[in-house]
Amino acid sequence: MFRDIQHAWNPTQEEIKIWAYSDEQIPSQDWELAVNNVENIPMICSFIDDDKCQKKTFFLSSLYVFTGDIVASEIESDIADLTSLLDKVEKGAKTEELKTWIYRSKHLISYPQDYDYDYWGLFSKYVFNV
């Protein structure tokens, strides 16, 4: 699917979509960081709402990482973009998992002191219940 590991770290939306519906393993450790950007989030949300997507857990975890990284950065313009994005995807959210991520993300934006890497970092306890 990817020519090499370097290309896996700069995936196109089409490559992400193909992988989402494949039997392929994660192309690289911490790949959540490679797929997370503002442009990809609506697509990632659509995967979570699609029962046919084989990688829903991976993508849900990536959403928590995305929110956590932005809030922890304390960059106001990025937080404003995240807030706007949450409002946009909330309108079409179907699953409880996605609605819960939106709710928790809005809460974290309002209360950034509640940030805890165990819940907003890789292998989020919100997703993996560890």
Side-chain angles (χ1 to χ4, degrees):
M1 177 175 316
F2 303 102
R3 288 187 300 190
D4 55 36
I5 196 67
Q6 181 179 2
H7 289 92
W9 274 90
N10 190 22
T12 66
Q13 285 192 347
E14 186 60 28
E15 289 170 330
I16 295 168
K17 185 175 182 177
I18 290 168
W19 181 80
Y21 292 93
S22 76
D23 292 329
E24 296 288 324
Q25 295 297 314
I26 188 170
S28 178
Q29 183 177 355
D30 302 338
W31 200 56
E32 295 91 333
L33 304 174
V35 301
N36 278 345
N37 64 50
V38 172
E39 293 79 23
N40 289 343
I41 298 304
M43 176 183 65
I44 290 171
C45 290
S46 73
F47 297 153
I48 294 166
D49 277 342
D50 184 356
D51 288 335
K52 295 176 186 170
C53 180
Q54 299 179 30
K55 312 285 195 317
K56 289 172 71 162
T57 301
F58 169 85
F59 288 113
L60 183 60
S61 176
S62 76
L63 291 178
Y64 281 97
V65 171
F66 181 74
T67 298
D69 285 353
I70 289 176
V71 173
S73 77
E74 299 180 351
I75 299 171
E76 290 299 321
S77 61
D78 289 351
I79 294 170
D81 289 345
L82 174 60
T83 300
S84 177
L85 183 60
L86 290 168
D87 290 340
K88 177 182 174 184
V89 297
E90 184 174 35
K91 294 174 185 171
K94 298 174 188 169
T95 60
E96 285 305 311
E97 295 93 345
L98 188 56
K99 291 175 184 177
T100 300
W101 166 72
I102 293 165
Y103 171 81
R104 288 174 174 159
S105 294
K106 288 182 173 186
H107 174 87
L108 188 63
I109 290 167
S110 296
Y111 302 96
Q113 67 274 12
D114 289 351
Y115 174 85
D116 181 337
Y117 181 86
D118 288 343
Y119 292 89
W120 295 98
L122 294 170
F123 304 106
S124 166
K125 287 185 177 182
Y126 282 137
V127 177
F128 295 102
N129 299 317
V130 178

